[in-house]
Amino acid sequence: MMTTTTTALTLYRAELESPIGPLVLCATDRGLCHIDFGTFRDREMPLSIWAAKQGLAGHEGAIEWIEAPAHPVLAESAAQLNAYFRGATLDFDLPLDMLGTAFQRSVWQELRLIPYGEVRSYKQVAAGIGKPLAVRAVGGANNRNPVPIVVPCHRVIGADGSMVGYGGGMPIKTFLLELEGYRQS
């Protein structure tokens, strides 16, 4: 009789206190893979569901969360986020392990090109990836960005200049944009 063993996927996690509240930072050995707003205690179930949907856990869905604030990726992520919140850095230089479709990854890469303190509309992001009619799909990919702040989805606004939804909530989006010096006209 053949037995199969399944190994749990190991995801490392750490919490970071920030000016916008607690953040859960998650990483694989390859890089930062997720940032969530809140504490791990509050977000464990949605994070586990997210990981399973990404195929990170394989066919069995087993996930082992290890609290590891000293993990090199998490420690560097926390240091760079703290520097960002202090206004000491404008960019992030972190290894990322972002899973998504080719389209989503192209949107996320385009988001990384939006300079600190500037904004773009969904239409501009769509044009930037060479898909000018894919405005709604760009919005969907923006909404599924697994590493907000680092991949600055908060810098995307409506074509009319209006603030539009943000996974962390509009007060956090406004805070981040104001931190970067953006003032809505």
Side-chain angles (χ1 to χ4, degrees), residues 52-67:
K53 284 184 179 179
Q54 300 309 308
L56 291 173
H59 71 283
E60 293 299 319
I63 300 168
E64 179 183 13
W65 291 102
I66 296 178
E67 186 173 5

Side-chain angles (χ1 to χ4, degrees), residues 19-170:
I20 56 174
L23 299 172
V24 180
L25 311 179
C26 306
T28 65
D29 284 319
R30 292 181 302 274
L32 184 67
C33 64
H34 201 81
I35 297 175
D36 212 336
F37 300 97
T39 64
F40 182 76
R41 182 175 179 217
D42 293 337
R43 304 300 302 158
E44 181 176 9
M45 181 62 71
L47 283 166
S48 294
I49 291 169
W50 166 82
K53 284 184 179 179
Q54 300 309 308
L56 291 173
H59 71 283
E60 293 299 319
I63 300 168
E64 179 183 13
W65 291 102
I66 296 178
E67 186 173 5
H71 184 281
V73 171
L74 296 175
E76 184 60 25
S77 298
Q80 288 188 31
L81 282 160
N82 280 326
Y84 167 81
F85 287 121
R86 286 191 318 272
T89 189
L90 308 181
D91 298 308
F92 294 94
D93 183 20
L94 296 167
L96 300 178
D97 189 14
M98 298 171 61
L99 296 175
T101 66
F103 179 82
Q104 288 170 333
R105 288 190 311 270
S106 71
V107 170
W108 300 335
Q109 182 57 39
E110 186 70 16
L111 297 177
R112 295 183 80 188
L113 300 176
I114 303 171
Y116 181 95
E118 294 184 22
V119 295
R120 300 290 184 271
S121 69
Y122 292 102
K123 184 176 182 177
Q124 289 171 311
V125 173
I129 63 167
K131 307 251 187 221
L133 300 179
V135 176
R136 291 184 100 182
V138 164
N142 197 57
N143 181 262
R144 288 176 187 81
N145 171 18
V147 288
I149 305 167
V150 172
V151 173
C153 54
H154 61 277
R155 296 180 188 154
V156 181
I157 62 172
D160 62 358
S162 64
M163 293 290 173
V164 290
Y166 185 65
M170 292 306 293

